[in-house]
Amino acid sequence: MRRVIEVQPLWKIYFDGVAHREGAGTGVVIINSQGEVLPYSFALAQLCSNNIAECRALILGLEMVVEMKRLQLQLFGDSQLVNNHLLGSYEAKKLEIRPYHDYAKTLMGWLGDVTIQHVPRKENHKADVLAALASSLTFLDLAQILKSNF
């Protein structure tokens, strides 16, 4: 009896988050198995810390690939804190970051083979630019956009 093992193509996610007084945003760059680059930028509707913005970026990327049923995934982020939380090297001590960490771990558990690596900020440039763009939309801008579209 021959067994056939289907190997899923490898996908990559680069993620970054930015938070400051005027707003917060995330950048997610998904690179599929054919090398196509799928950039996403999200403005966050509440003020938060940079670490939470980083976690939110990771979660948004993971949610998208879970929906796409991707089972082999490499994650790349420039936050050593977030990466080390997920790798188990650091404990998530701050109460406000634990729910994000736990949810990201749950999403990673739904996928097959997931690795996470730290990359220098310059190698995470696309995700960083997308996050900065999204964070530049102030809460007033978002309210005006929502009001004018509905």
Side-chain angles (χ1 to χ4, degrees), residues 71-134:
L71 300 177
Q72 289 222 328
L73 183 64
Q74 286 182 309
L75 300 170
F76 298 93
D78 58 27
S79 169
Q80 287 188 342
L81 181 71
V82 171
N83 293 351
N84 283 319
H85 280 166
L86 293 171
L87 292 170
S89 304
Y90 295 174
E91 181 184 341
K93 292 181 182 178
K94 292 193 175 187
L95 291 178
E96 64 269 9
I97 205 164
R98 281 189 188 163
Y100 298 101
H101 170 265
D102 293 345
Y103 183 50
K105 290 290 275 188
T106 298
L107 290 169
M108 289 170 67
W110 292 343
L111 299 164
D113 183 21
V114 179
T115 60
I116 187 163
Q117 291 180 287
H118 178 264
V119 292
R121 179 166 282 162
K122 66 181 179 179
E123 291 179 30
N124 203 23
H125 179 69
K126 289 178 184 167
D128 183 55
V129 168
L130 291 168
L133 172 67

Side-chain angles (χ1 to χ4, degrees), residues 10-17 26-33 35-42 54 56-62 64-65 68 73-78 119 121-132:
L10 183 67
W11 284 44
K12 297 177 183 180
I13 293 180
Y14 290 82
F15 64 93
D16 201 5
T26 64
V28 178
V29 177
I30 299 174
I31 302 172
N32 69 19
S33 58
E36 295 173 306
V37 177
L38 310 168
Y40 298 93
S41 188
F42 301 94
E54 292 273 353
R56 299 278 306 270
L58 171 63
I59 286 168
L60 287 164
L62 288 170
M64 286 186 279
V65 296
M68 295 177 199
L73 183 64
Q74 286 182 309
L75 300 170
F76 298 93
D78 58 27
V119 292
R121 179 166 282 162
K122 66 181 179 179
E123 291 179 30
N124 203 23
H125 179 69
K126 289 178 184 167
D128 183 55
V129 168
L130 291 168

